[in-house]
Amino acid sequence: MPDVVYLGYMAAFCTTCSFVPQVLHILKTKDTRSISLGMYSIFVTGVFFWLVYGIIIKDAPIMVANVITLALSSTILIMKIRDIFRERKDQTATQSTTL
Amino acid sequence: MPDVVYLGYMAAFCTTCSFVPQVLHILKTKDTRSISLGMYSIFVTGVFFWLVYGIIIKDAPIMVANVITLALSSTILIMKIRDIFRERKDQTATQSTTL
């Protein structure tokens, strides 16, 4: 494996590691209120593009970094979307009982 | 420019864009309390490694994405370190007056 690939893996390790605590915090507290749906959607799309880019140019560090980040960030995005639907359902239920 | 490079720039645009509002918020409020020094140091190091990696493998989207992210994230890291030093200075000043 050429030396530059090790550098890529070090980069991947650092940027993925620094993302993990935030993800674990959200998974633990199940609180997605501080997450912006718009920003997170753009981020997940970007990570998906990086992954496809890595696959096309056959770059292992880019693939590894983005497959992990995509798994983590899309989990949070799904939780956020689920919470939005739950809130709407609760609001509809409250409106029905007050009518 | 081959099509794959456009994909790389789209990826770079998305992941950088989703990072900008948080940076602007911190630059506007000058409040770095919610920033973890350890995690941000690891992130900035990782982005620096990605930039060097991009330069070595001569990949323009990786270079562009990481030079912008490095400029933004290192600004926040410097603000965070400056705030830590200020707090320590204030604490020392308070201790001197109470003695």
Side-chain angles (χ1 to χ4, degrees):
Chain A
M1 194 159 68
D3 285 351
V4 68
V5 179
Y6 287 112
L7 180 70
Y9 280 120
M10 270 165 64
F13 181 79
C14 289
T15 51
T16 309
C17 267
S18 62
F19 186 64
V20 169
Q22 202 207 326
V23 178
L24 290 179
H25 179 78
I26 294 164
L27 290 175
K28 204 175 161 188
T29 60
K30 309 224 181 289
D31 183 5
T32 61
R33 278 172 296 179
S34 58
I35 297 296
S36 156
L37 179 69
M39 285 307 126
Y40 233 78
S41 305
I42 296 169
F43 180 73
V44 170
T45 309
V47 174
F48 175 73
F49 285 156
W50 275 126
L51 178 60
V52 177
Y53 181 72
I55 292 167
I56 294 172
I57 69 166
K58 295 187 180 73
D59 187 292
I62 297 177
M63 283 191 257
V64 171
N66 289 290
V67 85
I68 297 169
T69 310
L70 186 65
L72 296 169
S73 57
S74 58
T75 305
I76 293 175
L77 186 62
I78 291 165
M79 282 174 73
K80 177 71 188 177
I81 294 166
R82 192 196 56 188
D83 285 353
I84 290 170
F85 275 103
R86 270 192 192 162
E87 262 175 46
R88 281 194 192 161
K89 212 176 167 184
D90 288 347
Q91 277 177 353
T92 318
T94 316
Q95 280 173 346
S96 309
T97 47
T98 49
L99 280 174
Chain B
M1 195 159 68
D3 285 351
V4 68
V5 180
Y6 287 111
L7 180 71
Y9 279 121
M10 271 165 64
F13 181 79
C14 289
T15 51
T16 309
C17 267
S18 62
F19 187 63
V20 169
Q22 202 206 325
V23 177
L24 290 178
H25 179 77
I26 293 164
L27 289 175
K28 204 175 162 188
T29 61
K30 310 226 181 285
D31 183 5
T32 60
R33 277 173 297 180
S34 58
I35 298 296
S36 156
L37 178 69
M39 284 308 125
Y40 233 78
S41 305
I42 296 170
F43 179 73
V44 170
T45 309
V47 174
F48 175 74
F49 285 157
W50 275 125
L51 178 60
V52 178
Y53 182 72
I55 292 167
I56 294 172
I57 69 166
K58 294 185 180 75
D59 187 293
I62 296 178
M63 283 190 257
V64 172
N66 289 290
V67 86
I68 298 169
T69 310
L70 187 64
L72 296 169
S73 58
S74 57
T75 305
I76 293 175
L77 186 62
I78 291 164
M79 284 174 72
K80 177 72 188 175
I81 294 167
R82 192 196 57 186
D83 285 353
I84 290 170
F85 275 103
R86 271 192 192 161
E87 261 176 47
R88 280 192 193 162
K89 213 176 166 184
D90 289 347
Q91 277 178 351
T92 319
T94 315
Q95 279 173 345
S96 309
T97 48
T98 47
L99 281 175

